[in-house]
């Protein structure tokens, strides 16, 4: 799987990242590459990752994600 996601924070800053990963044995796992940012994260670069975790709600998907952000 792959795609793009944008995360917007309370102060209006945002990070846009590309993700790529796979689903194996019913669990998703992948990596992020930070493409851009705004506000506090203007010109940000970096990496990250994510893993699916069990959700207590039927049909809901929950992920544990993390970023390593570098700003100029």
């Amino acid at each position: 799987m792959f795609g793009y996601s944008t995360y917007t924070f309370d102060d209006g800053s945002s990070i846009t990242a590309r993700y790529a990963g796979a689903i194996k044995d019913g669990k998703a796992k992948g990596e992020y590459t930070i493409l851009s940012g705004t506000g506090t994260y203007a010109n940000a670069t970096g990496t990250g990752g994510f893993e699916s975790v069990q959700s207590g709600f039927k049909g809901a998907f929950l992920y544990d994600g993390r970023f390593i952000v570098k700003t100029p």
Side-chain angles (χ1 to χ4, degrees):
M1 72 175 126
F2 70 92
Y4 298 87
S5 55
T6 299
Y7 302 90
T8 303
F9 303 95
D10 289 341
D11 68 354
S13 297
S14 67
I15 290 174
T16 298
R18 182 182 192 284
Y19 64 86
I23 299 173
K24 184 176 179 181
D25 298 326
K27 291 192 164 197
K29 185 174 183 176
E31 297 180 352
Y32 288 113
T33 300
I34 297 174
L35 303 175
S36 65
T38 66
T40 302
Y41 301 104
N43 301 310
T45 60
T47 59
F50 64 90
E51 293 182 33
S52 60
V53 294
Q54 191 170 23
S55 171
F57 300 97
K58 184 178 179 178
F61 300 96
L62 185 62
Y63 295 89
D64 178 23
R66 62 217 161 273
F67 286 116
I68 300 169
V69 181
K70 299 176 185 172
T71 55

